[in-house]
Amino acid sequence: MTRFRNSVRSFLQDESGVLLAEALVLIPILIWGFLALVVYWDIFRVMNTSQKAAYSIADLMSRQGVVTETFIEGTQNVLDFLVPGAGDARMRITSLELDEGTDVKPEFDADDDYVLLFSRSPGGAVDQHTTASIQDLASQIPDMNDLESVVIVETWVDYTPDFDTGVLDAAPGFAGETFYQFIVTRPRNWRRVCLSGEIPGCV
């Protein structure tokens, strides 16, 4: 019995192989932590670049007076260039003005509605706004004076990480996300930004 007790005590005090056991536990955690760091860094990179891309395109549009369909289609190349490595990137450009003498949607505000100048999405990737649908953007558009106009640039950038950082229920992963930007800009040099051939004498 004494020999058995001594054997148990010796077994409990034996620390040989502890380093290997710790390594088997910690190395997977370290690898996961490294991959998670890379993934989350890349997520914030895409969020940041997609926001900057939307602001850049909005600034580009605000400097125009009359744009063409070709110009609108070309902005997709700008978006793709500014968000490299991301997934599918889509965009919608809308120009509108406030007309206090119209009543397109009475439930919005009688005699105080937005008038659609144009709405386009390069490649038809996103549905165009209509005169009725832009009334629902009121809460997102700053206060405007009568006949004042703005250009709205909306972008959708899909992102899917290269690695799934989820670990069962202990650490939910990031499967994918679509980063949406809504940028409102006033024209810089003209009263409004028009689409060639859309509304005669728009500028």
Side-chain angles (χ1 to χ4, degrees):
M1 192 65 178
T2 302
R3 180 180 299 178
F4 176 74
R5 256 194 319 266
N6 292 336
S7 298
V8 172
R9 186 181 300 111
S10 177
F11 174 77
L12 294 176
Q13 294 175 349
D14 186 6
E15 296 183 356
S16 60
V18 171
L19 183 62
L20 177 60
E22 291 178 348
L24 290 176
V25 174
L26 292 178
I27 287 179
I29 296 176
L30 291 174
I31 293 175
W32 175 86
F34 176 76
L35 293 178
L37 181 65
V38 172
V39 168
Y40 290 125
W41 179 88
D42 199 44
I43 290 171
F44 284 106
R45 178 191 64 83
V46 174
M47 289 175 60
N48 188 38
T49 54
S50 64
Q51 185 180 61
K52 289 180 177 178
Y55 273 104
S56 297
I57 294 171
D59 181 68
L60 175 64
M61 291 298 302
S62 72
R63 299 174 187 273
Q64 312 303 313
V66 178
V67 296
T68 63
E69 297 280 1
T70 302
F71 184 91
I72 296 293
E73 292 295 326
T75 57
Q76 182 66 46
N77 297 329
V78 177
L79 179 62
D80 293 337
F81 176 79
L82 293 176
V83 287
D88 185 29
R90 304 173 300 285
M91 175 172 45
R92 176 169 59 200
I93 299 174
T94 303
S95 179
L96 57 86
E97 70 178 4
L98 180 69
D99 189 343
E100 296 181 347
T102 62
D103 190 10
V104 178
K105 194 175 182 182
E107 61 271 24
F108 168 61
D109 187 6
D111 297 329
D112 189 7
D113 284 350
Y114 296 121
V115 175
L116 180 67
L117 301 178
F118 74 86
S119 181
R120 291 291 186 276
S121 174
V126 182
D127 291 339
Q128 301 176 13
H129 272 304
T130 63
T131 299
S133 68
I134 60 174
Q135 314 307 322
D136 298 326
L137 304 178
S139 61
Q140 298 173 269
I141 300 175
D143 293 337
M144 299 166 58
N145 297 320
D146 186 29
L147 299 182
E148 187 176 8
S149 68
V150 293
V151 176
I152 300 173
V153 174
E154 299 169 89
T155 61
W156 293 261
V157 177
D158 296 335
Y159 176 81
T160 301
D162 293 329
F163 305 99
D164 185 359
T165 57
V167 181
L168 301 178
D169 293 331
F174 186 88
E177 186 65 58
T178 298
F179 300 118
Y180 173 68
Q181 304 293 333
F182 184 94
I183 312 299
V184 182
T185 309
R186 287 185 171 89
R188 293 174 178 266
N189 304 315
W190 288 270
R191 184 168 72 84
R192 49 191 180 180
V193 179
C194 302
L195 181 65
S196 178
E198 190 75 2
I199 300 178
C202 179
V203 179

